[in-house]
């Protein structure tokens, strides 16, 4: 899909599983320029159309031909009745069936014969009419979809159900026809309910952040504040959060000390201490203190907003296992239809029984072969897995990336901001070539003021701590992997010893110092040296140990820092190998080598320098809070709390999700195989087959929704 193409969204009523998306692809593909122009978000019931080949009216008309209804997407969904028409029709069908049974039984047949258990009894006109009305009440949403499947010669479960119901009516099996139609409609209602539950788990995020902000005026007291809509509060605005309130915006504490409950957003089980300088996140809960903070992002750019936006887009990327199930269903359904036709025709021709007997068995086979439980088993589990991960601070951008961690064989880590806290501090600095020390610091801070690199932030923080005002420098430009330059002709520069060598400043003696060296220069002269120290991120060593215990064979570090700084970090975390002094293109080549050697590889990073390597790896994982926007957009998964313990959690969660999907597929196929044998042997009825299929759908849905539960820390084992 081209990023330059316009993209329009539509709300589709009745969109709840892969069968519907397949029907929409077939109907709309030729209209919009190809099926690849269509993507679907089952969570929101949304269809995205890339390109402008078709008008919205034509798209809505095409959707209507599939038996669904579309309307242009609006941010706020229109009010829906407590019971939608499909649910009402299903409930009405159930009542009509009970009424028909009562009428049949009271007419002299008795309950056993009316149920078909005490011998056949003719069905009088009134019960027949009630059964027919039940078929219509529960089957009306299915008929347009079945017709489209027949018209395009692409049989699906809707066509199987319609054929089975019509066949039962033709045989005079009115109770079974109505029961099959009712149970199939009930299974669709329950399927929609299950997806709705997963949808509500994600939509609950929307209600985390309040829509009003206590904006602080001249002072931080209540009298100096006013309430404003969060969407109207600009970055850099000060706001106040009262005890127990939800925090409305991302920000940084400027006054007050206390704690915040970040569990709703990150899964952190303990309150997080907050003091001046500490970050706050929209949607988390303030403790018992009044905090004054300065917003660091507008409402549309908060961590919470990014989570919501990216989770909504996650359905565009389907997991390989989901695609395999869908491809299998496309082959499986025509095979079932062909087998049913053979069962109806061949045995009577061979003199093995009456045509009506084998026709009935063929109908049972059609119902048994309905792929409903099989088709729904995968997307429900994936949606539940995505929602569970989002609730625990792991943002996964699609089903494809939820499956990938289960197959990891190697993980590559960036160093600064990933394995280490990324909060470098100036341990020592000194002037060179006679330049005054405070002038060196002022120039370095001026260059670093427009960069979010940890080294630049450390220099700027040192200047603020000493009360040194950064020098205003124009034309500052980022040199990826090397540093910054600015001033007239880029004469001033701040960066690594590699940059110093490029500028002709000669080799810099590091004397085996493991600290990070940053140099300030002008032209070919070095003006100052800054030695920066960084601490290992808490939990980094344990995360590496846990990943190795999960069978991931190779754990490495790829860093642009020098070997003297990288070596101690690699040793402290227990990594198998490290490569230092890498430019972004060097990291890409290193990742390619790992992919060739190990297959499925993840790259974990936080900065612009890591984005190319993350894009090349089979799985890109970004540090969500400390990470740059480029890294977050490139990554497939983001750890929203920068908590490396989430990595082994992610691998375990991915494996558990795949295990649940395999359980569902095995159960659905096993049950169908059993009922096919029973149908061929004449030991299964229509209503029993559809009841089994409905039961299977319920069981696989319930099994998939188990992924929504748990404490968030129960998967690491």
């Amino acid at each position: 899909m081209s990023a330059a193409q316009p993209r329009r969204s539509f709300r589709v009523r009745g969109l709840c599983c892969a069968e519907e998306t397949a029907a929409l692809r077939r109907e709309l593909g030729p209209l919009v320029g190809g099926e690849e122009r269509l993507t679907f978000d089952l969570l929101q019931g949304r269809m995205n159309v890339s390109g402008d080949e078709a008008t919205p009216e034509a798209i809505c008309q095409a959707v209507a031909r599939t038996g669904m209804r579309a309307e242009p997407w609006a941010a706020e969904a229109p009010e829906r009745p407590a019971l939608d028409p499909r649910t009402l029709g299903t409930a009405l069908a159930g009542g009509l069936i009970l009424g028909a049974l009562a009428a049949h039984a009271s007419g002299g047949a008795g309950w056993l014969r009316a149920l078909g258990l005490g011998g056949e009894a003719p069905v009088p006109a009134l019960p027949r009419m009630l059964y027919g009305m039940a078929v219509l009440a529960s089957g009306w949403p299915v008929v347009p979809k079945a017709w489209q499947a027949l018209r395009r010669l692409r049989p699906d479960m809707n066509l199987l159900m319609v054929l089975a119901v019509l066949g039962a009516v033709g045989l005079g099996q009115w109770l079974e026809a109505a029961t099959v139609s009712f149970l199939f409609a009930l299974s669709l209602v329950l399927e929609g309910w299950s997806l709705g539950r997963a949808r509500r788990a994600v939509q609950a995020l929307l209600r985390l952040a309040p829509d009003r902000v206590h904006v602080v005026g001249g002072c931080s007291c209540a009298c100096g504040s006013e309430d404003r809509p969060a969407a109207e509060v600009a970055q850099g605005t000060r706001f106040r959060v009262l005890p127990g309130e939800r925090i409305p915006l991302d920000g940084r504490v400027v006054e007050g000390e206390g704690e915040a409950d970040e569990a709703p957003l990150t899964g952190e089980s303990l309150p997080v201490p907050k003091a001046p300088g500490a970050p706050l996140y929209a949607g988390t809960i303030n403790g018992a203190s009044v905090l004054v903070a300065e917003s660091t992002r507008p409402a549309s750019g908060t961590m919470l907003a990014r989570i919501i936006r990216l989770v909504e887009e996650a359905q565009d990327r389907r997991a390989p296992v989901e695609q395999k199930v869908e491809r299998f269903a496309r082959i499986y359904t025509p095979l079932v239809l062909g087998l049913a036709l053979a069962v109806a025709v061949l045995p009577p021709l061979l003199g093995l029984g009456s045509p009506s007997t084998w026709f009935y068995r063929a109908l049972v086979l059609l119902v048994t072969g309905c792929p409903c439980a099989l088709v729904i088993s995968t997307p429900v589990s994936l949606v539940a897995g995505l929602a569970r991960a989002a609730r625990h601070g792991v943002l996964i951008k699609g089903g494809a990336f939820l499956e990938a961690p289960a197959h990891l064989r190697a993980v590559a880590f960036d160093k600064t901001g990933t394995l280490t806290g990324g909060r470098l501090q100036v341990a020592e600095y000194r002037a060179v070539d006679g330049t005054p020390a405070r002038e060196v610091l002022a120039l370095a801070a001026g260059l670093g003021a427009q960069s979010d690199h940890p080294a630049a932030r450390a220099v700027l923080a040192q200047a603020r701590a000493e009360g040194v005002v950064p020098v205003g420098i124009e034309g500052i430009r980022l040199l990826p992997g090397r540093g910054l330059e600015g001033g007239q002709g880029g004469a001033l520069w701040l960066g690594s010893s590699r940059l110093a060598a490029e500028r002709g400043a000669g080799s810099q003696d590091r004397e085996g110092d493991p600290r990070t060296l940053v140099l300030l220069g002008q032209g070919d002269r070095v003006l100052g040296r800054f030695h920066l120290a960084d601490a290992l991120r808490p939990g980094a060593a344990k995360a590496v140990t846990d990943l190795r215990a999960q069978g991931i064979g190779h754990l490495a570090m790829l860093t642009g820092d020098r070997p003297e700084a990288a070596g101690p970090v690699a040793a402290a975390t227990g990594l198998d190998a490290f490569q230092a002094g890498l430019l972004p293109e060097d990291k890409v080549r290193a990742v390619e080598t790992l992919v060739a050697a190990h297959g499925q590889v993840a790259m974990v990073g936080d900065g612009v320098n890591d984005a190319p390597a993350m894009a090349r790896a089979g799985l890109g994982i970004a540090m969500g809070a400390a990470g740059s926007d480029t890294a977050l957009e490139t990554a497939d998964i983001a750890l929203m709390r920068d908590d490396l313990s989430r990595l082994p959690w992610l691998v375990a969660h991915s494996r558990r999700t795949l295990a649940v999907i395999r359980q569902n597929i095995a159960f659905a196929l096993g049950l169908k195989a059993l009922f096919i044998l029973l149908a061929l042997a004449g030991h299964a009825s229509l209503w029993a087959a559809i009841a089994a299929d409905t039961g299977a759908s319920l069981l696989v849905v319930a099994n998939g929704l188990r992924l929504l539960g748990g404490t968030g820390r129960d998967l690491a084992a």
Side-chain angles (χ1 to χ4, degrees), residues 48-431:
N48 303 310
V49 182
S50 175
D52 55 5
E53 282 78 0
T55 65
E57 293 76 14
I59 291 172
C60 292
Q61 290 171 5
V63 172
R65 291 196 293 271
T66 68
M68 291 174 271
R69 183 165 59 88
E71 58 197 30
W73 181 265
E76 294 294 330
E79 291 294 326
R80 301 186 65 179
L83 293 176
D84 62 17
R86 187 170 61 182
T87 304
L88 288 172
T90 303
L92 177 61
L96 289 169
I97 291 172
L98 291 176
L101 278 171
H104 193 186
S106 62
W111 283 101
L112 288 179
R113 294 184 68 194
L115 289 168
L117 302 176
E120 292 189 8
V123 182
L126 178 59
R128 279 204 309 270
M129 181 181 70
L130 294 174
Y131 284 135
M133 292 172 63
V135 168
L136 293 175
S138 56
W140 64 267
V142 179
V143 173
K145 300 176 184 179
W147 167 245
Q148 288 300 317
L150 181 61
R151 187 170 67 87
R152 294 185 174 276
L153 299 179
R154 296 288 296 270
D156 61 9
M157 62 186 181
N158 300 295
L159 181 59
L160 295 186
M161 288 300 103
V162 169
L163 291 176
V165 170
L166 292 177
V169 169
L171 290 175
Q173 302 290 335
W174 288 94
L175 171 60
E176 297 211 47
T179 304
V180 166
S181 182
F182 166 74
L183 289 175
F184 183 64
L186 179 63
S187 71
L188 295 179
V189 169
L190 293 172
E191 178 182 310
W193 168 83
S194 68
L195 191 64
R197 179 179 171 185
R199 180 185 301 126
R200 289 189 294 273
V202 175
Q203 288 179 333
L205 293 171
L206 291 168
R207 298 187 293 272
L208 286 181
D211 57 5
R212 306 291 293 183
V213 182
H214 306 312
V215 175
V216 174
C219 63
S220 60
C221 61
C223 64
S225 67
E226 62 172 317
D227 284 358
R228 294 184 196 169
E232 298 178 4
V233 177
Q235 181 176 337
T237 302
R238 291 197 174 192
F239 62 93
R240 180 172 49 85
V241 187
L242 297 176
E245 284 188 335
R246 286 191 181 271
I247 296 166
L249 297 167
D250 285 5
R252 193 165 298 279
V253 177
V254 293
E255 293 180 28
E257 294 187 10
E259 294 180 332
D261 177 5
E262 298 184 351
L265 190 63
T266 66
E268 175 63 45
S269 59
L270 297 176
V272 179
K274 298 297 178 183
L280 297 177
Y281 301 111
T284 58
I285 304 169
N286 186 24
S289 304
V290 175
L291 298 178
V292 176
E294 184 176 278
S295 65
T296 54
R297 296 186 183 97
S300 61
T302 64
M303 183 191 297
L304 175 62
R306 285 187 286 178
I307 290 176
I308 294 168
R309 182 176 66 252
L310 293 172
V311 169
E312 287 178 347
E313 295 171 355
Q315 290 297 305
D316 286 1
R317 304 177 176 97
R318 294 183 296 159
V321 66
E322 184 178 9
Q323 297 175 40
K324 291 174 184 175
V325 169
E326 189 173 313
R327 287 195 297 268
F328 176 75
R330 289 180 181 178
I331 300 170
Y332 166 84
T333 305
L335 284 177
V336 168
L337 190 59
L339 179 60
L341 182 62
V343 167
V345 173
L346 293 180
L349 291 178
L350 298 174
L352 299 178
S354 67
S356 62
T357 298
W358 285 102
F359 184 65
Y360 181 81
R361 293 181 183 180
L363 295 181
V364 176
L365 187 59
L366 281 181
V367 174
T368 300
C370 173
C372 188
L374 178 64
V375 170
I376 196 177
S377 63
T378 303
V380 166
S381 300
L382 290 172
V383 167
L386 291 170
R388 169 79 183 282
R391 277 178 13 202
H392 291 278
V394 181
L395 177 56
I396 304 175
K397 297 184 182 179
F401 310 123
L402 176 56
E403 180 179 345
H407 307 299
L408 285 178
R409 295 293 176 266
V411 178
F413 297 89
D414 175 46
K415 180 182 79 70
T416 304
T418 302
L419 289 172
T420 64
R423 299 185 184 278
L424 291 173
Q425 295 180 331
V426 177
E428 175 190 1
Y429 76 95
R430 65 176 182 270

Side-chain angles (χ1 to χ4, degrees), residues 505-559:
S507 175
Q508 299 297 315
D509 182 13
R510 303 182 185 91
E511 303 172 354
D513 191 339
R515 297 173 299 181
T516 298
L517 176 64
V518 174
L519 301 164
L520 172 71
Q522 185 172 28
D524 60 358
R525 293 188 306 129
V526 173
L527 302 180
R529 298 166 63 95
F530 294 82
H531 294 273
L532 310 182
D534 189 12
L536 199 64
R537 187 180 289 280
K542 186 176 187 307
V544 169
T545 300
D546 291 344
L547 288 171
R548 183 169 283 112
Q550 289 175 323
I552 297 178
H554 188 77
L555 299 159
M557 180 172 66
L558 307 176
T559 179

